[in-house]
Amino acid sequence: MTIPPEAPLPPTPEPPSPVSEARTRPTGEQLRNLSGLRRTTHASPEGRHIAGVAGGIARHFDVDPLLVRVMLVVSVFFGGSGGIVYVAAWLLVPEETAEDGLIPVGPPARNLLLWIAGGIAAISLLGDAFGDTSVPWFWLAVLAVVALWYANRGKWGRRKQGGTLPVAPTTGDVAARAPAAPTRYLPAPWAPGTYDPNAPIRPAGRRRPPLLFGRAVAVAAIEVGVLGLVDVAGWAQVPASAYPAALLAVFGGFLVLGAFWGRAGGLIFLGLVSLAALPLTMIDMSNLETGSSIEIHPRSVAALETSYVVDAGAIVVDLSAIDPKTLDGHDLDITSSFGEITVIVPDDATVAAEATLGALGEAQVFDETRSGLGGFVLARTHVAGEEGSEPGLTDDADLHLTATADLGAINIYEESDPRAVRFVGTAERRTP
């Protein structure tokens, strides 16, 4: 008897490739509902560097986390708006696995408070951009407290009344007749027929290099080269601050481009370096010397200029040797960006002095002292032959003195003031 050969086995079908889910964009209502924000963790695809705020914002608005981090860091230097947003989200927004943030509030209150924080940050950003940084922080804080109370008034009222309402007990027969809840099983994380436990593990391939880093560096080099050529050829005067400003513009543009196409790589570090170099190149290094930048002891009004300006350093103007009768309403303007201004006036002269500090510092005008943050103006008038000073400015003064500094100290003393002894000189001397 002949045994027929066995029929060949049918070919094993190829496992179906997993179908990637279509990426859906969030709707406008979802974007406006900030209570759905969740801070990321270290296991999140967006990553986490400090508190997970930037990653949570990027995931909520469906943008690149790198772009959000750059915007937050840069906006810190413009009125502190980035810090306001970050701290508010840190306190109010919960993490992925939590229901409440560091300050437990309900979703409506969280949404309202986050919008208020965003409005405050926008006011601070616009105020700094247009030169007015006087933000009404006190009234904004009062508004935030009132909004928090209004959004949680019902919850706090129930807590005062003794918690939640009691639940009526159920009898044993009713519980026995209640149908059991159906058991739910989670689906497998892989498609049926695609998982092979004996398949070898493939090592992860080499990470794809950033696409935009080389292009950004090349564009930055070309831009710096063009600026240098223009400066050397004498076609236009290029200030030193133009170079880091150009680099910052290039790196910032490529970071925005990297949010939609490619990877920006280490451009965030280069952008921060350019941002740090920008204010340093705006300082006149010729004024950064040990001791006084400008020190003058004129003996006549003819040797006294109408204005003195220094970017960084100290200015000492000793007017004690000038005859008050020859001043005849002389105007003197002294300006410093960063440093100390000291002026000594004669006792027998009527002096109207106005000290203006733009950011932070202290002003000592005759017998009045004031210090603070955010800028202030101190105006005093010293009458000839009298001790102390009066508030305000007089029009018929022998000397109209204006001292302005962005950051530092302003000292205006009478000749007989003990604080003026170390500044009074016997000969005219000027140090450029």
Side-chain angles (χ1 to χ4, degrees):
M1 183 178 65
T2 305
I3 301 176
E6 295 182 357
L9 296 176
T12 304
E14 294 289 335
S17 59
V19 180
S20 60
E21 297 182 358
R23 183 180 181 183
T24 58
R25 302 282 297 182
T27 62
E29 183 178 357
Q30 292 174 339
L31 294 178
R32 290 189 296 270
N33 184 18
L34 299 182
S35 62
L37 268 172
R38 290 297 183 270
R39 292 188 286 119
T40 57
T41 61
H42 293 287
S44 304
E46 295 80 7
R48 173 172 178 166
H49 293 283
I50 301 178
V53 172
I57 295 176
R59 179 173 55 190
H60 183 81
F61 292 98
D62 194 20
V63 295
D64 194 325
L66 181 62
L67 176 62
V68 177
R69 293 186 176 101
V70 171
M71 292 179 63
L72 288 175
V73 171
V74 172
S75 59
V76 168
F77 298 94
F78 296 92
S81 54
I84 296 173
V85 172
Y86 201 95
V87 172
W90 193 344
L91 297 177
L92 298 174
V93 175
E95 292 185 347
E96 293 178 346
T97 57
E99 294 294 332
D100 293 321
L102 298 179
I103 300 179
V105 293
R110 184 186 307 128
N111 183 50
L112 178 61
L113 292 176
L114 288 176
W115 276 111
I116 291 176
I120 295 175
I123 293 174
S124 180
L125 176 64
L126 294 177
D128 185 82
F130 292 98
D132 182 14
T133 57
S134 56
V135 181
W137 296 109
F138 174 76
W139 295 111
L140 291 175
V142 171
L143 179 61
V145 173
V146 172
L148 178 62
W149 170 82
Y150 180 80
N152 292 271
R153 65 189 189 283
K155 183 189 300 184
W156 292 343
R158 289 193 300 269
R159 290 178 180 177
K160 292 182 179 179
Q161 295 175 2
T164 58
L165 297 176
V167 180
T170 58
T171 60
D173 296 338
V174 175
R177 290 195 301 269
T183 304
R184 299 180 62 186
Y185 297 94
L186 296 176
W190 53 83
T194 61
Y195 176 68
D196 185 6
N198 299 321
I201 299 177
R202 297 180 179 180
R206 185 178 179 182
R207 187 179 181 183
R208 182 168 55 93
L211 298 178
L212 301 179
F213 184 83
R215 294 174 174 85
V217 173
V219 173
I222 294 174
E223 191 169 20
V224 171
V226 171
L227 290 176
L229 179 62
V230 171
D231 191 13
V232 172
W235 297 336
Q237 185 177 3
V238 180
S241 58
Y243 294 94
L247 294 177
L248 187 61
V250 171
F251 296 144
F254 273 90
L255 283 174
V256 174
L257 183 62
F260 305 97
W261 178 76
R263 289 176 49 239
L267 292 183
I268 184 172
F269 173 73
L270 297 180
L272 292 177
V273 172
S274 303
L275 182 63
L278 182 59
L280 298 178
T281 56
M282 299 175 65
I283 299 177
D284 188 1
M285 302 303 293
S286 61
N287 290 324
L288 296 178
E289 301 177 358
T290 58
S292 298
S293 299
I294 295 180
E295 185 175 350
I296 182 173
H297 303 264
R299 293 184 174 275
S300 63
V301 179
L304 181 64
E305 299 179 8
T306 57
S307 64
Y308 297 94
V309 179
V310 64
D311 291 333
I315 307 175
V316 177
V317 180
D318 176 19
L319 307 178
S320 59
I322 297 180
D323 186 1
K325 298 178 181 180
T326 61
L327 289 172
D328 194 20
H330 186 83
D331 293 328
L332 178 59
D333 188 8
I334 303 176
T335 304
S336 173
S337 298
F338 174 75
E340 183 179 15
I341 299 175
T342 303
V343 183
I344 312 299
V345 300
D347 292 333
D348 297 333
T350 300
V351 180
E354 183 180 66
T356 303
L357 276 165
L360 173 66
E362 180 184 59
Q364 299 183 27
V365 181
F366 304 125
D367 56 345
E368 187 75 14
T369 301
R370 184 180 301 178
S371 60
L373 174 66
F376 60 88
V377 177
L378 179 59
R380 307 287 296 183
T381 298
H382 165 66
V383 181
E386 297 184 4
E387 295 183 358
S389 61
E390 300 175 354
L393 302 174
T394 182
D395 296 332
D396 56 349
D398 299 326
L399 175 66
H400 298 275
L401 174 60
T402 302
T404 305
D406 294 332
L407 185 67
I410 299 176
N411 308 314
I412 302 176
Y413 303 138
E414 306 167 39
E415 179 185 358
S416 59
D417 195 316
R419 297 172 294 181
V421 173
R422 63 190 181 97
F423 298 104
V424 176
T426 57
E428 184 173 348
R429 181 164 56 95
R430 177 186 178 97
T431 303

